[in-house]
Amino acid sequence: MASDGNGVGVGVAVKAGVIVGDAVGDGNDVGVNVTVGVGSGVSVGDGVSVAGSGVGETNTTGGRSAGMRAGLAPADCPHAASNPIPKNSAIVCMMWPVLIFSIRQIILMSVRNSNVDEPMQRPDLQEKLNSLPTKPGVYLYKNVQGKIIYVGKAVNLRNRVRSYFHNSAQHSPKNRHLVRDIADIEFIIAGSELEALLLENTLIKKHQPKYNIRLKDDKRYPYIKVHWQDPFPRVTTTRRLQNDGARYFGPYTAAWAAYRTLDLVRKIYPYLTCTRNIDGNDERACLYYHIGRCAAPCIGAVNQTEYREMIDGLCDFLGGHTEPVVKQLTDDMNAAAEALDFERAATLRDQIQAIHQIAEKQKVVSPDMVDEDVIAFARDDGNACVQIFFIRGGKLMGREYFLLDGANDTHDTELVTSFLKQFYDQVQDIPAQILLPQEIDELMIIRDWLKSKRGSKVRLSVPRRGQKKELIHMAAENAAETLAHLKAQWEMDQSKHTEALSELRERLHLPQDPVRIECYDISTLQGTHTVASMVVFAKGVPRKSDYRRFKIKTVVGKPDDFASMAEVLRRRFNRMQAAQSGELQTDAPGKSEQAASWATLPNLIIIDGGKGQLNAALQILDEFGLREVIPIVGLAKREEEIFVPGKSEPIMLPRRSQALYLVQRIRDEAHRFAITYNRNLRRKAGVASQLDSIPGVGPKRRKTLLKAFGSVKGIRAASVDEIAAVPGIPRHLAETIKELL
């Protein structure tokens, strides 16, 4: 074995599929020499690989091998180029994955061992680093405010965390900034690497750390939910995935897409949507039965076995497997026609035609007729967009894009790995195969995790040629086009925001652009549950982390918007003074950001109301000496009139101006935030009054019941046995609850 340059020489020998030690083989053994260096090659046999070269020829027993750059395994073994393949080389071909895995492990161990005595950065954290365990788990980096800025997992916590602080680990600006911002290190020991992966996903989703790659769009996508765990499964839509035995299909790009699919499917499979107790003894069915949209098991029109068979076919259809469904329906139609049941045959014919109409809109993209997801991505100026094609039964059922935060200065491999873990953590419908644009880290553990979620093997592969490679290319092109379109839209929106702020400054005679705008609104119902909202727009965009809501304390029993507005502003500026003087507690996580928000003064305050509300607000500004510091206006709803202090006539913004659109958006957001809080309080009060009136049900049992059934409606629909099964609810109380509700 020889090495040229600064490479690390590694010798491996294989005998009957077992790595036995050094690179000297005898008899039928195959000797393998590997040299790794800058641009180094890999040679198989008793040859010499010259560092920096891409191809090395080696004379083995009648065979030749080609060296591969950087020591990485290609899609196929290099001996595939030999013709014919020698006997010994054929053994190497079969053992190629084992060889490459072993070589990588040896190289990693060499690199790790070389860093043992390397000078460490951040000596102030040395004691914590030395105390880390060598077990698998999750590590959390925190900044000086106690906020979690990075979450990672490791098979060996000590080795992994220490690697961040070696000088050789500082490959990117992102890593340098991360190490600079770390003030504290915490860890959670896990039972296995798989357990650590699940915990890592949960913590990233919960804390949204600054330096982690994370899904930018936190909205929940709609799914079609088949309540398979019920005796007579209903079909609904949901945005929340639960491990409750139901079957989920999606995600859909928008709610209307899910509803449109269900509308078409219901013509073929007339499923249930109601929550009534199905026993087949109801006297009459609902309207849906009479218009052919429900099978009506409630009146015994179909029994449980027949209904569940129909729903099973619906699940196959939603999963993209239309051919078996069409075949079954065709057989049933022919059988009905032979039995002279022409009405049923006509119904089945219409269902088959509806399926064909849907199937015509689905493009066949895979001749293998398999279920697979195709993933690719595009990057530009720190932005990253991932595109997924959902292929079911060889047909392109849909596609979706996702934007990623924290993707700056990260390797493509890390980007794809992070996306896989976060996306499939919230997805139930996992296909048998996932096509990736490149190799990923943590391949084996991610594959095992997906297998545990799916219940069967999941293959992760990187296509090298053929139609599957074209699918990856198509997805990548879509990702690039989507990212370019979004960037153009962002730039246009930014231009509109800038225009709106400039126009507000001119029209309202403000000293500067209102970069931070706060808007206040009052919501009440005849003086009960009076609340207020404070919404914040920064540079024309909602800053929801700074939103605040207030429960009015001084106005009780009668509506008084003026006094309510005065209370809200007084409390807001009291918080401002406390934050500026350091009196607000900032030790708890997240409290420092809240204090900073309270301490920041707005460039403009908008009061939702006319002159009365504006005058009440001005009195509070006078109390705190802020009248000359913070511009304030009132916005009347009817004519969109803006009242300014000191002017009798309101200002009317042009009807099509960007400034008016922005003011309306801010006002509507404040109104939405306030009325939602008011409704929540009224709903909770209504629930409390209904349950508290039942003897034996106090606050604790009320909370337990609501947690078990979700609402009073759910409790009312439950049987006595189901209510009695709730911990802490005896049967006699369950009977009382059922009777009184």
Side-chain angles (χ1 to χ4, degrees):
M1 174 176 63
S3 170
D4 187 27
N6 296 322
V8 179
V10 181
V12 181
V14 178
K15 181 176 182 180
V18 180
I19 298 175
V20 297
D22 60 14
V24 180
D26 63 303
N28 292 325
D29 300 351
V30 180
V32 179
N33 286 332
V34 179
T35 302
V36 179
V38 180
S40 64
V42 175
S43 64
V44 180
D46 295 324
V48 177
S49 174
V50 180
S53 68
V55 177
E57 265 196 24
T58 304
N59 292 323
T60 60
T61 308
R64 293 170 49 182
S65 66
M68 302 303 297
R69 285 188 182 273
L72 298 179
D76 302 305
C77 178
H79 288 84
S82 304
N83 190 15
I85 300 176
K87 177 181 179 181
N88 289 344
S89 297
I91 299 175
V92 175
C93 290
M94 290 186 293
M95 293 306 303
W96 187 257
V98 177
L99 292 174
I100 292 303
F101 177 78
S102 303
I103 291 165
R104 283 175 172 170
Q105 294 298 108
I106 294 171
I107 294 169
L108 286 174
M109 290 175 60
S110 302
V111 172
R112 288 172 179 169
N113 291 335
S114 68
N115 287 332
V116 169
D117 299 324
E118 187 178 335
M120 302 285 287
Q121 296 194 10
R122 300 296 305 275
D124 54 311
L125 296 174
Q126 188 66 51
E127 187 175 345
K128 282 187 175 292
L129 294 174
N130 292 337
S131 65
L132 291 170
T134 57
K135 297 180 179 180
V138 173
Y139 54 93
L140 302 91
Y141 295 152
K142 294 185 175 182
N143 60 12
V144 292
Q145 289 83 25
K147 184 179 178 66
I148 295 174
I149 58 175
Y150 187 80
V151 175
K153 74 166 185 65
V155 179
N156 185 314
L157 283 168
R158 179 181 296 177
N159 289 351
R160 179 57 180 154
V161 174
R162 285 173 63 90
S163 69
Y164 281 89
F165 298 91
H166 291 136
N167 289 326
S168 62
Q170 310 307 306
H171 297 307
S172 68
K174 181 178 180 180
N175 271 350
R176 289 195 294 270
H177 292 150
L178 171 60
V179 172
R180 180 197 63 194
D181 291 347
I182 297 173
D184 193 14
I185 302 172
E186 293 184 0
F187 62 88
I188 303 173
I189 295 176
S192 64
E193 188 178 4
L194 177 58
E195 185 180 325
L197 183 144
L198 298 175
L199 181 58
E200 178 194 32
N201 281 343
T202 301
L203 292 174
I204 291 175
K205 187 184 300 183
K206 178 179 179 181
H207 297 289
Q208 295 289 299
K210 173 182 177 181
Y211 288 101
N212 279 101
I213 298 176
R214 55 204 181 274
L215 291 181
K216 188 171 184 177
D217 195 356
D218 60 353
K219 68 186 178 186
R220 295 182 182 271
Y221 287 88
Y223 286 80
I224 292 176
K225 179 178 182 179
V226 179
H227 299 251
W228 189 253
Q229 72 277 22
D230 297 338
F232 292 88
R234 296 180 297 120
V235 182
T236 60
T237 60
T238 184
R239 293 180 183 268
R240 186 177 298 275
L241 299 179
Q242 297 175 313
N243 189 18
D244 56 0
R247 297 182 182 180
Y248 296 87
F249 299 91
Y252 289 85
T253 56
W256 62 263
Y259 293 140
R260 185 177 64 180
T261 301
L262 284 180
D263 184 56
L264 292 172
V265 167
R266 200 168 191 182
K267 298 176 182 178
I268 309 169
Y269 304 98
Y271 55 80
L272 280 173
T273 56
C274 60
T275 58
R276 68 174 67 184
N277 186 29
I278 306 297
D279 56 11
N281 297 322
D282 289 7
E283 294 183 1
R284 60 179 183 178
C286 64
L287 177 63
Y288 284 116
Y289 171 68
H290 297 289
I291 62 174
R293 296 295 183 269
C294 181
C298 56
I299 61 172
V302 293
N303 59 35
Q304 182 176 345
T305 302
E306 293 170 337
Y307 181 78
R308 291 188 71 89
E309 286 179 355
M310 181 191 72
I311 296 300
D312 194 34
L314 180 147
C315 292
D316 286 341
F317 178 79
L318 290 176
H321 305 288
T322 59
E323 288 78 7
V325 177
V326 171
K327 184 178 183 302
Q328 182 63 46
L329 290 176
T330 303
D331 293 343
D332 292 346
M333 179 186 68
N334 294 334
E338 291 177 2
L340 304 181
D341 188 354
F342 298 114
E343 183 177 354
R344 173 169 169 72
T347 301
L348 293 171
R349 178 203 61 201
D350 295 341
Q351 292 177 355
I352 294 171
Q353 291 177 350
I355 291 176
H356 285 314
Q357 290 175 0
I358 297 174
E360 287 174 358
K361 301 177 182 179
Q362 299 168 350
K363 180 182 178 182
V364 177
V365 294
S366 175
D368 299 336
M369 307 303 289
V370 296
D371 294 351
E372 58 190 2
D373 287 350
V374 182
I375 299 177
F377 65 92
R379 307 179 74 166
D380 186 18
D381 295 335
N383 299 304
C385 176
V386 178
Q387 184 90 25
I388 303 185
F389 288 168
F390 303 104
I391 299 174
R392 300 296 180 265
K395 298 178 181 178
L396 181 60
M397 304 295 293
R399 64 177 185 173
E400 185 55 88
Y401 72 86
F402 299 86
L403 300 178
L404 300 178
D405 264 343
N408 286 338
D409 301 316
T410 56
H411 195 273
D412 292 347
T413 301
E414 182 183 354
L415 187 148
V416 177
T417 303
S418 298
F419 175 78
L420 281 176
K421 291 189 287 187
Q422 294 183 59
F423 175 72
Y424 286 106
D425 183 50
Q426 61 185 16
V427 169
Q428 292 289 332
D429 181 22
I430 299 176
Q433 180 166 283
I434 300 174
L435 304 183
L436 303 175
Q438 62 183 65
E439 301 287 352
I440 61 169
D441 296 330
E442 310 170 19
L443 172 64
M444 296 179 66
I445 187 63
I446 291 178
R447 187 173 56 199
D448 291 344
W449 168 57
L450 293 175
K451 179 181 177 180
S452 67
K453 290 198 67 174
R454 173 180 166 83
S456 59
K457 183 178 179 181
V458 177
R459 183 185 178 195
L460 301 174
S461 61
V462 181
R464 304 295 183 183
R465 62 182 69 85
Q467 190 166 9
K468 293 187 183 297
K469 178 67 174 178
E470 293 177 3
L471 284 174
I472 291 287
H473 181 66
M474 185 191 309
E477 286 185 338
N478 276 266
E481 291 178 3
T482 299
L483 186 57
H485 173 75
L486 290 173
K487 285 189 65 178
Q489 184 176 345
W490 295 335
E491 293 172 358
M492 182 174 64
D493 290 343
Q494 182 62 40
S495 175
K496 289 181 179 179
H497 295 154
T498 303
E499 179 185 347
L501 296 178
S502 298
E503 189 173 353
L504 274 179
R505 183 195 65 210
E506 294 175 3
R507 295 280 181 175
L508 302 181
H509 305 289
L510 304 176
Q512 59 184 351
D513 286 353
V515 177
R516 179 184 173 97
I517 301 175
E518 294 181 5
C519 183
Y520 297 84
D521 187 25
I522 306 295
S523 179
T524 184
L525 182 64
Q526 297 179 349
T528 62
H529 305 296
T530 304
V531 299
S533 66
M534 163 187 153
V535 301
V536 178
F537 275 58
K539 297 182 179 180
V541 179
R543 179 172 289 177
K544 295 191 176 183
S545 60
D546 289 357
Y547 282 19
R548 300 291 182 267
R549 56 191 187 187
F550 305 83
K551 189 182 296 184
I552 302 302
K553 302 176 181 179
T554 59
V555 180
V556 181
K558 61 177 181 179
D560 190 341
D561 284 358
F562 303 158
S564 299
M565 186 63 69
E567 177 189 334
V568 170
L569 290 176
R570 185 177 289 110
R571 289 165 63 181
R572 189 264 183 265
F573 292 118
N574 278 332
R575 291 290 184 90
M576 175 203 71
Q577 290 182 338
Q580 291 177 346
S581 63
E583 297 177 9
L584 277 183
Q585 183 180 0
T586 59
D587 296 336
K591 292 294 184 181
S592 57
E593 288 81 359
Q594 292 184 18
S597 174
W598 287 118
T600 304
L601 290 177
N603 303 111
L604 176 65
I605 292 177
I606 298 177
I607 303 298
D608 187 15
K611 291 183 178 180
Q613 287 88 344
L614 179 59
N615 289 331
L618 286 171
Q619 293 177 9
I620 303 304
L621 291 183
D622 289 336
E623 283 184 24
F624 290 87
L626 296 174
R627 181 188 276 247
E628 302 301 326
V629 178
I630 305 176
I632 185 171
V633 298
L635 179 62
K637 291 185 177 68
R638 181 174 299 178
E639 299 293 337
E640 310 290 3
E641 298 172 327
I642 297 179
F643 292 95
V644 179
K647 293 186 177 181
S648 58
E649 296 298 324
I651 296 175
M652 301 290 291
L653 295 175
R655 285 298 171 189
R656 297 187 178 275
S657 68
Q658 293 298 327
L660 178 61
Y661 294 154
L662 176 60
V663 169
Q664 289 173 331
R665 282 183 59 212
I666 296 173
R667 189 267 318 281
D668 293 344
E669 180 71 351
H671 181 68
R672 179 199 64 80
F673 197 49
I675 199 169
T676 300
Y677 186 34
N678 178 269
R679 287 171 178 167
N680 289 340
L681 292 179
R682 285 190 280 124
R683 186 180 68 251
K684 290 179 181 178
V687 169
S689 63
Q690 291 184 61
L691 293 178
D692 288 343
S693 63
I694 301 175
V697 177
K700 186 174 181 180
R701 281 176 170 168
R702 180 185 71 211
K703 183 177 180 180
T704 303
L705 287 167
L706 290 174
K707 184 177 181 181
F709 298 103
S711 64
V712 174
K713 183 179 179 181
I715 300 172
R716 187 181 292 115
S719 66
V720 173
D721 292 337
E722 290 173 334
I723 297 175
V726 176
I729 307 296
R731 185 168 185 85
H732 68 85
L733 180 57
E735 293 173 351
T736 303
I737 293 172
K738 187 67 176 177
E739 180 182 354
L740 294 179
L741 288 181

